[in-house]
Amino acid sequence: MVLPGIWADAARRFQSGVAAKAGLVVIFSLALLAIVGPWINPNRFDALDWANVAVAPTFQHAHWFGTDRLGRDLFVRALAGTRASLLIGLFASAISIIIGISYGAVAGYLGGRIDNLMMRSVEILSGLPLVFFVIFVTVLFGHNPYWLFVSIGAVGWLTMARIVRGQTLSLRQREFIEAAIASGASTGRIIYKHVIPNLLGPVIVYATLTVSQTILFESFLSFLGLGVQEPQASLGTLISAGAGEMESAPWILMIPGIILALLLTSLNFLGDGLRDALDVKER
Amino acid sequence: MQPVLNIKQLDVKFKQSTGVVHAVRQVTLSLGLGECLGVVGESGSGKTQAFMAVMGILEKNALVQGSIQFEGREILGASPTTLNRIRGAKLTMVFQDPMSSLTPHLTIGTQMAEVLVVHQKESWGNAERAALQMLDQVRVPEAARRLKCYPHELSGGMRQRVMIGMSLLCKPSVLIADEPTTALDVTVQAQIIKLLQEMRAELGLSLVLISHDLAIVSGLADTIAVMYAGRIVEQSSGGNIFQHAKHPYTVALLKCTSDLASPRLDRLPTLQGFPPDLTQELPGCDFAARCSRASEICRRVRPELSAATFEYRSLDAQSAHPVACHHPYES
Amino acid sequence: MSIARAIDTLILMSRYLFKRLSAAIPTLFIIITAAFFLIHAAPGGPFDQEQRLPSQIVANLDTAFGLNQPLSVQYVRYMVALAHGDFGPSFKYKDYSVTELIVQGLPVTATLGVLAMLVALSFGVMMGTFAALRHNTAPDQATMLLAVIGIAVPSFVLLPFLGLIFGIYLHWLPVAGWESGSIRHLILPVFALALPPMSAIARLTRSNMLEVLRTPYVRTAFAKGLPRYLVIIRHALKPALVPVVGFLAPAVASILTGSLVVESIAGLPGIGRYLVQGALNRDYSLVLGMVILYSTVLILMGLVVDLLYAWLDPRVRLN
């Protein structure tokens, strides 16, 4: 149902946005590095090198980004952390996005009282400081990675639900849906065949922003010691460790800090660029 | 006699991503002291843009060329400081939509008084007293209470009276009224027109009345300029236009003008077709595509306004009734 | 006339405030109850983690703090004490009551939070307005570039970097620590906390200001011959701020969560650490005290938001 011409236009507009393109390049390079990292450096992410504790970035022993207090190689750890952050970010976002789309599409398609009730709950939930709630629950009930995915995912779906519901509602008024209803297609089929493809633009934009939020949230939890646990690394735990060594070994902080900042900024630039390109209205 | 407002060869262009929109093209108009000039045309004919250019309130992407003289001084390209001494005081404008033309979070009193505070360095107390007087003068009942009201607490007609009152506070020499009645009920329309007429007589105003409705304009205006696609296509004295319209577009407009006495409003005639794309320059007449009288020459050669200078004082129906048409109706 | 109107407004407002505040009590009650049972449902207790206390002593401690009684009894006792303004003793900081701990730390956290909020609001609005007035020029794009970075980079990354630059390399400001009344110690934490909401506010203000600048009433204001600064300040700013007000509650939540980490990085003796530490230690009363405090702040913020809406737009009625 989506015209190729619309995508061509969007592609052209996206091409003209420098920041968004730069963001895309940065994200892909970081992801690529995170994947191939273990093969280009001989060090292992949890190997302790007691002869080289807290050394500054050097070419000796391939400690390109230096080592931490325990002599672990920061290049490998930073990339392992990036990988962990990206993976958690993607998985948790996927949860958010799936919940958000289904919830919003159903509410928008059914309309009426059910829609009212569903959106009212979204409104109440988004008025709550869910971040606190998640911190609270994570602290109380321990922190295994599955719980981490679910808790982060459970928080991030509200905006997506609202956006999808609004789009669905307006799509419902259009003729081709009416035609499908008239020809006797089932509700499930109409949602799958017509509603979801037309939601793609806004969903892509908000998915990008959800990924950035999720990565931010994960690193926040890890920074507090509630997320990924040692010896596993995520960008949040690495920054947390680095913040304590700021005066004596600033690189321990700077490397994961710069990576996280780059990653999040790039995702936001990408999201903004896609928003402009796909002409999605902010609401 | 020196006109109070003199517009010469005014061009307004808007730069847009789709091209340059040439909204006002070579418009020359003059307004004598105490005169009323009616400017008529469809929406998109450039009539509003031309006078927004006079006020210097066009959007940033507008390019204005030509000459605009107010009381003998060139004001096109003047600095904002210079313009701010004139506009709102000597040269004022009333807009189409009184619902959205007043700031929602300020009281009527504040919005009126600030004009005097800014232009005449009055104290707020004095300014509010003058605003109260003015509300009385523009026939707003219970003026003292209305002064404390917010715009949404007033009806559309009341708000338009407030707008008119606000524009008259500093005793302007020229008031530009841009479709002052379009957004209002029919009965209120007549009241507002009457008010404008009274104010003109009481204050010796020169008035520019912009409208798409020839019937409204012709009752008030000494002279009428008809605009189409950014150009003036016909100029005439006010009373003359009904009987002696020459341009086919004017004639078509006249046919569309709602006759309020007509019992069959459902059979209102409409103008066929659409106005031309203003990003393009046509070689011939802009109206040719919609004109029943158009011939070969109309599509090739642009008709020029027949009399280069047009002055109301020397006007008699036949001799000074310029029209830009190859095949004008003869009266 | 205007005095009568002012009194009317005052009566209306106090009645409204009373109504809203009494409506907040059941909300608070539900939150406290949920938090109480949630935290007690979590495995472990406050004295389990200490260095292997003999079980007899743990039992004695439990008795002393009433932890061996049925949960419902504990709940009623807690709520009764709370109704008398008693938040109970801390289980971890044994010589202090929860009230004492909060009273000690709150001034630091409150100063930090309020300053961050003020900075975020004032600078955010100024940046957004500035960018809108220079729409589509280099200064506009530069401001918005900064805003995207500001939204993206979290305070726990920003603060260490700022400390590194301004503290360790330039020696302009202290990296961490706290001296009562010292503004210098607060500059970096306040800025780090303020930057994300400030950037969001700048973006919001910009897009709304652009919209407002195109409205007919702003055109009227220009046509009246008002100088530009008056048009902006008197006619355009308030309507442009309406959506910013809607962002205030999320902004406060962002600053509160941010303060959890910022205080620990900057070594500020605030109350931020009590939430996470208290929950880790199963310091029941301390955590509940924090939950009550934060919920109250957020509920009050909702009230402030509604009052601000009414102040910004006379069409909004308080009822």
Side-chain angles (χ1 to χ4, degrees), chain C residues 11-64:
Chain C
I11 291 173
L12 198 79
M13 198 144 117
S14 36
R15 195 180 299 158
Y16 174 76
L17 280 179
F18 181 76
K19 219 162 81 182
R20 280 293 301 266
L21 287 178
S22 33
I25 289 172
T27 316
L28 212 52
F29 181 81
I30 294 170
I31 294 174
I32 296 168
T33 306
F36 183 91
F37 287 105
L38 199 62
I39 185 168
H40 280 275
F47 308 116
D48 295 354
Q49 288 127 329
E50 301 198 12
Q51 308 83 13
R52 306 211 158 269
L53 285 175
S55 58
Q56 184 54 44
I57 295 179
V58 172
N60 286 347
L61 280 168
D62 280 352
T63 315

Side-chain angles (χ1 to χ4, degrees), chain B residues 150-162:
Chain B
Y150 291 99
H152 71 276
E153 296 168 327
L154 303 184
S155 70
M158 278 307 139
R159 281 186 239 184
Q160 199 59 296
R161 284 175 193 271
V162 168

Side-chain angles (χ1 to χ4, degrees), chain C residues 158-210:
Chain C
L158 188 66
L159 182 58
F161 271 99
L162 292 176
L164 209 56
I165 298 168
F166 294 101
I168 291 168
Y169 294 140
L170 296 172
H171 297 289
W172 288 355
L173 293 165
V175 177
W178 167 256
E179 281 166 36
S180 196
S182 160
I183 296 291
R184 280 165 49 83
H185 285 84
L186 279 177
I187 292 177
L188 294 182
V190 163
F191 187 72
L193 263 186
L195 193 71
M198 176 173 101
S199 307
I201 289 172
R203 279 173 60 128
L204 262 178
T205 308
R206 173 181 176 271
S207 66
N208 292 300
M209 184 59 91
L210 283 175

Side-chain angles (χ1 to χ4, degrees), chain A:
Chain A
M1 275 297 152
V2 178
L3 298 171
I6 293 174
W7 295 106
D9 271 5
R12 189 175 43 74
R13 276 197 295 268
F14 183 81
Q15 292 274 317
S16 64
V18 179
K21 261 190 299 182
L24 195 63
V25 170
V26 170
I27 293 164
F28 266 112
S29 324
L30 281 175
L32 192 69
L33 264 178
I35 293 166
V36 303
W39 285 286
I40 55 177
N41 191 292
N43 295 297
R44 270 179 48 82
F45 81 96
D46 55 353
L48 313 179
D49 181 355
W50 292 109
N52 295 289
V53 166
V55 295
T58 169
F59 283 109
Q60 279 185 357
H61 310 286
H63 292 319
W64 299 330
F65 285 176
T67 60
D68 68 7
R69 274 282 154 232
L70 301 173
R72 292 179 295 195
D73 182 74
L74 277 176
F75 178 82
V76 180
R77 281 187 74 72
L79 292 184
T82 309
R83 188 165 56 232
S85 288
L86 277 174
L87 273 179
I88 296 173
L90 287 177
F91 270 113
S93 303
I95 295 176
S96 289
I97 291 164
I98 291 168
I99 299 177
I101 292 178
S102 344
Y103 194 95
V106 169
Y109 184 75
L110 294 178
R113 202 182 290 169
I114 297 172
D115 170 43
N116 237 327
L117 195 75
M118 288 177 82
M119 290 333 279
R120 191 75 205 123
S121 347
V122 167
E123 215 173 281
I124 291 170
L125 280 176
S126 42
L128 299 174
L130 287 177
V131 178
F132 279 105
F133 179 75
V134 171
I135 293 174
F136 201 58
V137 172
T138 319
V139 176
L140 290 179
F141 296 98
H143 16 254
N144 69 52
Y146 300 106
W147 179 241
L148 199 63
F149 290 147
V150 174
S151 62
I152 296 173
V155 173
W157 60 274
L158 296 170
T159 315
M160 185 64 90
R162 215 176 301 137
I163 300 296
V164 170
R165 180 254 179 187
Q167 288 287 321
T168 313
L169 212 57
S170 70
L171 276 171
R172 221 160 70 94
Q173 325 291 343
R174 290 203 208 150
E175 295 84 5
F176 62 87
I177 306 270
E178 276 164 32
I181 294 170
S183 69
S186 73
T187 303
R189 195 182 154 76
I190 290 171
I191 292 180
Y192 175 73
K193 278 293 240 193
H194 300 285
V195 177
I196 289 179
N198 277 286
L199 293 171
L200 225 52
V203 165
I204 290 172
V205 172
Y206 283 92
T208 316
L209 298 177
T210 306
V211 172
S212 128
Q213 269 172 30
T214 311
I215 292 179
L216 175 65
F217 193 33
E218 181 278 322
S219 51
F220 181 80
L221 287 177
S222 296
F223 183 91
L224 284 174
L226 305 174
V228 172
Q229 299 296 308
E230 287 281 336
Q232 297 297 325
S234 95
L235 291 174
T237 58
L238 293 173
I239 292 168
S240 171
E245 315 273 350
M246 195 157 70
E247 290 185 55
S248 52
W251 60 89
I252 301 180
L253 164 71
M254 273 162 80
I255 285 156
I258 289 173
I259 293 178
L260 181 62
L262 260 180
L263 190 60
L264 293 176
T265 312
S266 303
L267 278 166
N268 275 279
F269 277 135
L270 180 64
D272 281 0
L274 286 172
R275 192 206 317 268
D276 293 344
L278 298 169
D279 198 21
V280 175
K281 300 273 177 299
E282 228 165 316
R283 61 189 82 200

Side-chain angles (χ1 to χ4, degrees), chain B residues 37-95:
Chain B
L37 166 70
V39 182
V40 182
E42 289 172 292
S43 54
S45 61
K47 53 194 195 307
T48 300
Q49 265 62 42
F51 287 91
M52 299 249 263
V54 170
M55 297 295 289
I57 51 173
L58 287 169
E59 301 248 339
K60 270 187 190 163
N61 62 343
L63 176 70
V64 185
Q65 289 165 311
S67 157
I68 301 167
Q69 287 183 339
F70 176 74
E71 294 184 332
R73 279 171 60 198
E74 181 63 46
I75 58 168
L76 180 54
S79 72
T81 327
T82 315
L83 264 180
N84 279 343
R85 256 178 250 143
I86 299 168
R87 60 182 173 192
K90 302 266 87 190
L91 174 66
T92 60
M93 189 159 178
V94 171
F95 298 97

Side-chain angles (χ1 to χ4, degrees), chain C residues 216-289:
Chain C
Y217 58 84
V218 165
R219 194 182 55 197
T220 307
F222 276 113
K224 278 154 84 175
L226 302 188
R228 207 160 94 123
Y229 76 92
L230 263 187
V231 176
I232 303 297
I233 290 175
R234 199 178 285 158
H235 292 265
L237 197 55
K238 264 191 173 185
L241 287 184
V242 170
V244 174
V245 170
F247 181 71
L248 283 184
V252 168
S254 139
I255 285 175
L256 284 182
T257 36
S259 72
L260 300 185
V261 290
V262 162
E263 282 177 12
S264 82
I265 297 172
L268 297 176
I271 53 172
R273 62 208 150 114
Y274 294 149
L275 188 73
V276 174
Q277 278 178 16
L280 281 173
N281 296 333
R282 304 290 185 267
D283 194 342
Y284 300 139
S285 48
L286 183 58
V287 172
L288 285 173

